[in-house]
Amino acid sequence: MKNLFKLLPVFFMVLSCGSSSTLNSEKQGDLVIAFGSCNREDSPQALWDDILKNDPDVFLWGGDNIYSDTDDAKVMKAAYELQRNNKGYQKLLNRVPVYGIWDDHDYGLNDGGKEWHFKEKSQQLFLDFMEVPQNSPRRSREGVYHAEVFETEKGKVKVFMLDTRYFRDPLAKSEDPNRRYEASEGAILGEQQWEWLENGLRDSEADFNVILSSIQVLSAEHGFEKWGNFPSEVERLKELIVSSEARNVILLSGDRHISEFSATEVEGLDYPLVDFTSSGLTHTYEEFSGEPNKYRVGEVVNDKSFGLLKFDFDKNRLRMEMRGNRNKLLQDYVLEFQ
């Protein structure tokens, strides 16, 4: 029997005049995951100390972890080294396990997909940055998708980190000058990755299952990159989440230089499917004036920010937070399952 849910949205807005890993947590069984995206390695990075103030158990890169649109391995490697040597990021690395995915700017090609000739080399450079051992099977597999299970004394969270670049079909360019792309037929994940995700969700014994995508899954009305450019892939993901019977699935995304919560009802799920977009860590769409998103819950945040997921296994509850400079709470959303 699936869980009933209780949805408790609470919003705080800042106004301008505001593999398995066992974790030894001091949070009495709670697990805290921090995540973020859109991070320029050569820009000021003011949020690492704020992230650490929340004592996260894990940090997830959500893509665009560096900005290195290049097919020059030396240039890309230098960008990763600059990021790795950032003092704030070094503090995080010394205290928190770090995992993640890439997006187009660390893939090497703006809005790039499977056509990118440098993708095999950029994959190895990404894995170097993520400190993946040279003998890991991930070194010989196409794509950077990966899963980790984080276990506490009270429960487990499984995180599926998707690769939305390596296998993605070409985008359909729009004739509308206000849009880059239009919806078309095609694939994002590729059959090999779909099979991996299907097996992983169906076999999951986790209390919560988190799917991390570099691009937004639910918001589909804007004209930029998104899962909505391939509507059949969105429906396939929803159908898989239902048929897998994986518990309490949450979507995370980045890319957009804004942060927002999106939520929708999916037939067969008795809880809302939420896509928590957190972007960006070093730069945002400061002149954002609005865009439609019928699934949006709350308001768009265009301050520099990071995301937090706070899991409560006793109450079967998840609190999602957007936080900015000085650890200021910008907006939150509480999802309680019963």
Side-chain angles (χ1 to χ4, degrees), residues 179 217-222 226 228 292-293 295:
R179 302 175 63 84
V217 180
L218 294 184
S219 179
E221 296 168 74
H222 61 78
K226 56 188 181 293
N293 176 6
Y295 300 121

Side-chain angles (χ1 to χ4, degrees), residues 260-292:
E260 65 179 343
F261 296 116
S262 303
T264 187
E265 300 295 329
V266 176
E267 185 176 357
L269 289 185
D270 48 17
Y271 59 87
L273 184 62
V274 175
D275 183 354
F276 179 3
T277 302
S278 181
S279 174
L281 290 168
T282 62
H283 57 296
T284 59
Y285 188 6
E286 295 180 357
E287 298 177 355
F288 179 84
S289 59
E291 67 182 27

